[in-house]
Amino acid sequence: MENKIKYFFDEESCILFKYHFGNICFDDIKNSWNEAINKNIIPNEVKGFILDYRNATFDMSPDEHKKIANFYQSNINTFGGHRIAIITIDPKDMVIPTLVEYKDRGYQSKPFSTLEAAKKWVLM
């Protein structure tokens, strides 16, 4: 996970940006969120999340989308009631976020190809 993930909290929009780099597996996603939760990287006033995978690739089988959805649901106190926008450019990287979206319960997620569209949706 070293240098694969960076965080930025935009105080104006109250969006937490999470930037991913390189090949990303499920454990990278789970461990980085656990670290963010344990180190209080996610402010209480957060309105939503933008996960930027434009410089990354999902290195997992499509079936692993269930693990991602289960992780968000098991951490509903952090993600509940929030929107999670996932930005990807490569069409093959749209598969995982699209499948996760179908499993959403208690939070909302949606894949996007542009930052502008993702930000607009999170703030809706």
Side-chain angles (χ1 to χ4, degrees), residues 31-32 66:
N31 294 338
S32 63
K66 296 171 192 166

Side-chain angles (χ1 to χ4, degrees), residues 85-99:
I86 299 96
I87 305 173
T88 62
I89 294 175
D90 194 325
K92 75 174 180 53
D93 287 324
M94 282 285 188
V95 173
I96 299 285
T98 300
L99 292 171

Side-chain angles (χ1 to χ4, degrees), residues 1-7 17-21 24-25 27-33 35 53:
M1 195 172 71
E2 193 73 29
N3 296 322
K4 283 187 167 187
I5 296 165
K6 294 188 185 320
Y7 302 91
F17 290 82
K18 187 176 175 211
Y19 299 93
H20 297 261
F21 303 92
I24 303 293
C25 67
D27 284 340
D28 294 325
I29 294 169
K30 178 185 73 173
N31 294 338
S32 63
W33 278 127
E35 179 181 11
Y53 287 92

Side-chain angles (χ1 to χ4, degrees), residues 44-118:
N44 290 333
E45 63 270 16
V46 72
K47 290 184 180 173
F49 305 90
I50 294 181
L51 314 182
D52 191 336
Y53 287 92
R54 291 178 289 184
N55 293 305
T57 301
F58 287 111
D59 186 17
M60 62 182 89
S61 70
D63 199 46
E64 289 186 272
H65 77 279
K66 296 171 192 166
K67 292 181 184 178
I68 297 170
N70 288 340
F71 178 81
Y72 288 139
Q73 289 161 10
S74 69
N75 288 280
I76 205 70
N77 56 332
T78 300
F79 301 107
H82 292 301
R83 290 183 172 201
I84 305 167
I86 299 96
I87 305 173
T88 62
I89 294 175
D90 194 325
K92 75 174 180 53
D93 287 324
M94 282 285 188
V95 173
I96 299 285
T98 300
L99 292 171
V100 170
E101 181 182 7
Y102 290 118
K103 296 279 185 190
D104 289 352
R105 284 193 321 269
Y107 66 93
Q108 291 179 294
S109 71
K110 192 173 194 64
F112 292 91
S113 56
T114 67
L115 174 61
E116 297 76 22

